[in-house]
Amino acid sequence: MLIIRTIAELDSYVDSLKANNRSIGLVPTMGALHAGHLSLVQRAVADNDDVIVSLFVNPVQFNNPDDLATYPRKEEDDFRMLAEAGVVAVFAPSVEEIFPDGPENTDRKQFDLGSVAEVMEGAMRPGHFQGVAYIVDRLFRLCRPKRAYFGEKDFQQIAVISRMVETEHLDVEIIPCPIKRADDGLALSSRNALLTPEQRSIAPEIHKALADSVAYSRDHSVRATHDSVVERLDAIPGLKVEYFEIVDARTLLPVEEWEESPRIQGCITVYCGKVRLIDNISYRP
Ligand code: PAF
C-alpha cells in the first residue's frame, strides 16, 4: 500500500491516475478506523477504478482543544486495516504539511455554507463546519475525486459538504453511506474508543431510544416524540442530551408537524460522561 505523506507526492500520484483516465474515489477520514469507515472504503472500491483514503486529524474543525488532544490516533492499526481491505493509496499528511504556518496562523477561506451549517452541530460547535469545509475542499482539490464517501452518522456534515460542493462548483459526487452499528445498536464512531466499559454499556440506549421513538411517533406529536426521547435518555445516570432536533431532512430546520415534510430526521447529541456521541434516525424516509 502506498503511504503518501506530502502534497507533492499526492499530486504526482493523482496526475498519473488522471493521465490513464482512472476514476478516483475518495474516503476522507480522521483515522481511528472502524467497520463504518471500512464500509465506505468497500463502496468506494466497488464504484471507482482507484481509491484514496485520507487520514488526517484536522485541527481546525475542533472547537475544543481537549477534544483535539484526546481524539484517538491509531495510525499503524489504520494502515493495517486499509491494506487488508485492499486499499492501494493512503494520504496521511502531517499537520505541518497541511498548515506550514501552523493551523492558527493560516488565513483560511470562509465558505458560504448556508443555514444547514448554523443549526445543531453548527450552533454547538462554533467554527466546526468552516473547519470541515476547509479540509474537505482542500482534499477534493488535491485528490480530484469523481466521488467522495461520507457516513450518515454525521448527517448534518453531509448536508454541509453538499452545500459547499454546490457553491464552490466542485465536480465531485457526494455519496452518503448508511450508519454502521455494533450488535447492540451503538453507532460506530472513533470516539467510542474513549468510553469506559461502564459508559460503553449504557451508550446503546441512545439508539434504542431513537428506534423506539419511531413507533411512538406514529400516534404522537412531534413535540411529544421529542420529549419522550430526551426524558428517557436524561433519566439514565451517565447520559445527558445536549440537543435533540426533529428536522426536515433537507433544510435541517425543526418541524412542528409530521405533515410538514416528506423526509424527517431526528438528530441527537448525547454526552456519555465526557464523550460526545452523535446519532440520528429517520422518521419519514
Ligand atoms: O467525518 C470526519 O471524519 C471528518 O469530519 C472529515 C470529513 C474527514 C473531515 O476532517
Side-chain angles (χ1 to χ4, degrees), residues 56-70:
F56 181 66
V57 181
N58 171 31
V60 299
Q61 71 184 73
F62 286 81
N63 55 313
N64 172 349
D66 288 345
D67 192 22
L68 174 61
T70 57

Side-chain angles (χ1 to χ4, degrees), residues 27-31 37 54 56-58 61 71 128 131-133 135-136 139 149-151 154 157 161 190:
V27 183
T29 81
M30 296 207 297
H37 294 113
S54 64
F56 181 66
V57 181
N58 171 31
Q61 71 184 73
Y71 198 83
H128 167 66
V132 170
I135 195 67
V136 172
L139 288 169
Y149 296 78
F150 297 90
D154 296 294
Q157 174 170 271
I161 292 171
S190 304

Side-chain angles (χ1 to χ4, degrees), residues 2 4 7-24 49-50 52 88-89 142-144:
L2 191 60
I4 302 171
I7 289 173
E9 283 171 273
L10 178 65
D11 211 35
S12 60
Y13 178 65
V14 173
D15 278 348
S16 69
L17 297 181
K18 291 282 174 191
N20 289 298
N21 274 326
R22 311 274 294 173
S23 63
I24 300 174
D49 295 328
D50 290 282
I52 302 175
V88 176
L142 292 169
C143 300
R144 293 172 263 160

Side-chain angles (χ1 to χ4, degrees), residues 116-129 156 243:
V116 288
E118 280 161 22
V119 294
M120 301 191 288
E121 291 299 283
M124 295 297 160
R125 304 180 68 188
H128 167 66
F129 283 129
Q156 187 176 6
Y243 68 79

Side-chain angles (χ1 to χ4, degrees), residues 88-132:
V88 176
V90 177
F91 178 50
S94 63
V95 172
E96 295 69 38
E97 182 67 15
I98 299 295
F99 299 104
D101 299 326
E104 56 294 325
N105 300 323
T106 302
D107 202 11
R108 283 188 281 128
K109 170 177 180 176
Q110 294 295 299
F111 294 86
D112 166 14
L113 302 176
S115 56
V116 288
E118 280 161 22
V119 294
M120 301 191 288
E121 291 299 283
M124 295 297 160
R125 304 180 68 188
H128 167 66
F129 283 129
Q130 284 294 338
V132 170

